[in-house]
Amino acid sequence: MTSDFFKYQAQTTPHPLAMTISHAEGSYIYDTNQKGYLDFVAGVSACSLGHRHPKVVEAIKNQLDKYLHVMVYGEYIQEPAVELTKLLASHLPKQLEKTYLTNSGTEAIDGALKLARRVTGRSEIIAAHHAYHGNTMGALSVMGFEERKRAFRPLIPDVRFITFNRQEDLSHITTKTAAVILETIQGGAGFIEPKDGYLEKVRAQCDAVGALLILDEIQPGIGRTGKLFGFEHYNCTPDILVTGKGLGGGMPIGAFTSSSEYMDLLQDNPKLGHITTFGGHPVIAAAALATLKEITESHLMSQTLEKEALIRQHLKHHLITEIRGRGLMLAAIMQSADITNEVVLRCKDDGLILFWLLFEPKAIRISPPLTISNDEIIKGCMIITHVLDSISS
Ligand SMILES: Cc1ncc(COP(=O)(O)O)c(C=O)c1O
């Protein structure tokens, strides 16, 4: 299997972790040697309810017995997608009412960028340095990391970059700007939170010049930071909200949400303003609906902040310089990138899954399922501190 993996399945890094997966349940992933790994990564913030949550599995199985794909996006009335978009709206401010469901986060970002241009009739998009929004050509164009984009240029034109949290840069948002796109909490950059009212100020500048604000909540959204959406912490409502990852409960999804007034523009001039065959797929939507219900009807969101406190309490070591982030979207910053690499690889040997962040080589990602137990958190933190002890001794 391992040799076929390297021979036939395209790789984008020379050193993938390459565990051969047998099965996964709750907070654990098992390899084909039946070794269990405690999962502190959750498929990169995607498996919000852990692995094979019974309610998600049940929703999928029920839908499998009814119908799979029946038609391209938006033509037929399919209950799972309707119920999902309705439930999302019920948890959002009134102006975020209508949702377009996609197959992935990056596709939802592209849809959001298109919508902003369509609404404003302007072309300029402003994004942030070190931002990550996905890897299709649109999302790549607003990624703030030149080294990873250069080989793929030319990308979409009229994109400018500002520095996240730098208020002096807000003057770059002008009447030429269609939209400002930001992650509510920057992920790949190292889990950087907005500070000193930054998002509120971006919101005010967008309002002043008639630009739209797109917030990418693909990672912080759906309960990971202790509220359903990260923007709820910052008194700043976007014009377009983009979600994904954790919404699917382990299934592939993306979504962009805006007002009916704006979203209805995708029907006209040109019509079919955004097309997808599989977006809103009934099985995926059923899984997402079950996930969203569980997260909003249980105590998982409020427990997220207690679990953050537990991690901060148990993850103390002189090789860790800082723990950034909020809720269960945390990055432990090591003294050096070499330490980070060693910890990730040695913890894997010791039965704990950790991972890197895209653009911050000293960071270790800690984004476990929201369902992780306190005992599992303490166990994972002990594995990390033992490895750190052995590195420093
Ligand atoms: C903030 C953010 N935006 C967009 C994406 C892209 O989502 P997807 O990988 O589902 O296309 C990601 C994925 O890591 C992300 O973290």
Side-chain angles (χ1 to χ4, degrees), residues 68-76 78 276-279 281-282:
L68 307 182
H69 176 73
V70 285
M71 192 41 164
V72 295
Y73 182 84
E75 283 297 320
Y76 295 168
Q78 301 178 47
T276 165
T277 299
F278 290 123
H281 189 283

Side-chain angles (χ1 to χ4, degrees), residues 284-306:
I284 311 289
L289 179 61
T291 303
L292 191 58
K293 274 190 185 158
E294 181 63 14
I295 289 175
T296 53
E297 289 171 9
S298 67
H299 295 295
L300 281 173
M301 268 193 285
S302 56
Q303 288 169 355
T304 293
L305 296 180
E306 292 157 26

Side-chain angles (χ1 to χ4, degrees), residues 350-368:
D350 290 353
L352 175 71
I353 297 178
L354 299 169
F355 209 53
W356 297 266
L357 293 190
L358 274 172
F359 309 136
E360 171 47 89
K362 290 192 216 162
I364 291 177
R365 158 188 289 280
I366 298 174
S367 57

Side-chain angles (χ1 to χ4, degrees), residues 217-236:
E217 294 251 357
I218 289 169
Q219 194 161 187
I222 319 297
R224 187 154 284 284
T225 68
K227 294 200 184 270
L228 193 55
F229 301 100
F231 71 78
E232 294 171 49
H233 294 289
Y234 305 109
N235 189 28
C236 166

Side-chain angles (χ1 to χ4, degrees), residues 200-245:
E200 290 92 321
K201 286 174 188 153
V202 175
R203 175 72 273 176
Q205 179 67 6
C206 286
D207 288 343
V209 298
L212 302 192
L213 175 61
I214 303 171
L215 285 184
D216 178 346
E217 294 251 357
I218 289 169
Q219 194 161 187
I222 319 297
R224 187 154 284 284
T225 68
K227 294 200 184 270
L228 193 55
F229 301 100
F231 71 78
E232 294 171 49
H233 294 289
Y234 305 109
N235 189 28
C236 166
T237 304
D239 299 293
I240 308 174
L241 170 72
V242 188
T243 49
K245 281 194 190 271

Side-chain angles (χ1 to χ4, degrees), residues 29 39-47 51 245 353 355 365 367-369:
I29 298 178
D39 187 1
F40 260 28
V41 175
V44 184
S45 299
C47 306
H51 299 282
K245 281 194 190 271
I353 297 178
F355 209 53
R365 158 188 289 280
S367 57

Side-chain angles (χ1 to χ4, degrees), residues 69-262:
H69 176 73
V70 285
M71 192 41 164
V72 295
Y73 182 84
E75 283 297 320
Y76 295 168
I77 300 166
Q78 301 178 47
E79 188 179 321
V82 176
E83 291 296 333
L84 172 61
T85 51
K86 185 175 168 189
L87 186 61
L88 264 174
S90 76
H91 289 287
L92 282 165
K94 215 166 140 264
Q95 65 270 38
L96 293 172
E97 184 181 34
K98 217 172 233 195
T99 295
Y100 190 115
L101 297 168
T102 63
N103 306 281
S104 63
T106 192
E107 186 190 341
I109 292 288
D110 277 23
L113 296 175
K114 286 169 64 184
L115 180 63
R117 285 185 168 175
R118 173 67 186 86
V119 168
T120 59
R122 304 175 186 175
S123 64
E124 182 184 76
I125 307 286
I126 294 192
H129 293 297
H130 295 136
Y132 182 73
H133 298 289
N135 250 251
T136 48
M137 286 305 229
L140 193 64
S141 305
V142 290
M143 180 171 89
F145 205 77
E146 184 57 26
E147 192 188 306
R148 306 257 175 103
K149 318 203 300 193
R150 195 171 297 124
F152 308 110
R153 288 192 175 280
L155 299 169
I156 65 166
D158 233 356
V159 177
R160 295 186 66 173
F161 287 87
I162 59 175
T163 298
F164 194 78
N165 273 331
R166 189 150 86 197
Q167 301 194 4
E168 302 88 285
D169 285 7
L170 298 186
S171 58
H172 294 308
I173 305 167
T174 68
T175 51
K176 289 196 188 125
T177 310
V180 177
I181 179 164
L182 296 172
E183 294 159 271
T184 308
I185 297 175
Q186 281 202 311
F191 291 3
I192 314 281
E193 288 188 78
K195 57 177 195 218
D196 301 331
Y198 178 68
L199 285 184
E200 290 92 321
K201 286 174 188 153
V202 175
R203 175 72 273 176
Q205 179 67 6
C206 286
D207 288 343
V209 298
L212 302 192
L213 175 61
I214 303 171
L215 285 184
D216 178 346
E217 294 251 357
I218 289 169
Q219 194 161 187
I222 319 297
R224 187 154 284 284
T225 68
K227 294 200 184 270
L228 193 55
F229 301 100
F231 71 78
E232 294 171 49
H233 294 289
Y234 305 109
N235 189 28
C236 166
T237 304
D239 299 293
I240 308 174
L241 170 72
V242 188
T243 49
K245 281 194 190 271
L247 177 61
M251 299 293 268
I253 198 163
F256 59 104
T257 303
S258 190
S259 64
S260 296
E261 183 196 347
Y262 290 169

